[in-house]
Amino acid sequence: MDIEREFGWDDYIENDSQGFVLLPEGDYDFVVTKFERSRHNGSAKLPPCNKAVLTLEIKSDEGTVYINHNLFLHSKTEGMLCAFFTAIGARKKGEKLKMDWSKVTGAKGRCRVGIHEYTKKDGTIGKINDIKYFHEPPEKAQEPAKPYGAYTPGNF
């Protein structure tokens, strides 16, 4: 991952843009590369509340895509908050959790990416990727518990 930084007026540049990449709908692994605290001013569907603005990096055969995703800190969207923290392995389904935002940057998970169509200012239709939902991580196969004092060949 390249480190983002501000350029000075006399800095050298060399990295061309890879161009806009629109991922096909589907399931992808992600890494949270950025987290910002922000505020939602309110809308017809949701009153004013805090929001987390996440930048998710998704690498695919088509290229690397960065998707911004808002998580609203409101009881109406609690299910989405739970799904995110479950996806990154910070919570188990049904578990009560105090949200620890300090562990979000760098967290990995899996999500469903969709395509959102919108009308541009010039009246044409644009398309961008968005996050439809977050997947629960697969359960890890656990070894059967060994009884205390059980003999294992080669171990002393």
Side-chain angles (χ1 to χ4, degrees):
M1 176 173 77
D2 293 330
I3 297 175
E4 293 182 12
R5 66 181 180 87
E6 177 182 11
F7 286 117
W9 292 107
D10 297 320
D11 280 353
Y12 289 92
I13 57 172
E14 65 181 303
N15 295 318
D16 296 310
S17 172
Q18 69 179 25
F20 178 74
V21 175
L22 184 68
L23 294 175
E25 285 195 19
D27 299 320
Y28 296 90
D29 294 328
F30 69 85
V31 176
V32 180
T33 59
K34 191 175 180 184
F35 156 68
E36 294 178 0
R37 295 173 191 262
S38 188
R39 186 91 183 140
H40 174 62
N41 291 327
S43 65
K45 294 182 180 181
L46 192 65
C49 61
N50 290 323
K51 73 176 177 178
V53 180
L54 307 176
T55 301
L56 306 180
E57 177 185 69
I58 298 174
K59 293 185 178 182
S60 73
D61 294 340
E62 291 82 9
T64 301
V65 174
Y66 294 91
I67 300 174
N68 290 328
H69 183 72
N70 294 324
L71 289 175
F72 298 97
L73 280 66
H74 194 276
S75 58
K76 285 185 171 185
T77 60
E78 186 174 3
M80 291 179 220
L81 290 164
C82 287
F84 171 73
F85 279 99
T86 301
I88 64 171
R91 170 187 184 274
K92 291 187 174 156
K93 190 167 182 149
E95 178 181 71
K96 185 175 184 175
L97 173 81
K98 179 179 178 186
M99 298 179 288
D100 187 352
W101 296 101
S102 69
K103 295 182 178 167
V104 167
T105 302
K108 298 177 181 182
R110 193 156 175 83
C111 64
R112 168 60 59 119
V113 172
I115 297 174
H116 174 74
E117 290 188 357
Y118 64 97
T119 304
K120 296 179 182 180
K121 290 180 181 177
D122 66 3
T124 61
I125 300 296
K127 293 181 180 182
I128 59 168
N129 287 124
D130 65 356
I131 305 300
K132 297 297 182 187
Y133 55 87
F134 294 100
H135 292 289
E136 283 185 55
E139 288 192 33
K140 295 177 184 170
Q142 294 181 352
E143 293 182 25
K146 296 178 184 174
Y148 177 74
Y151 170 73
T152 303
N155 289 339
F156 297 95

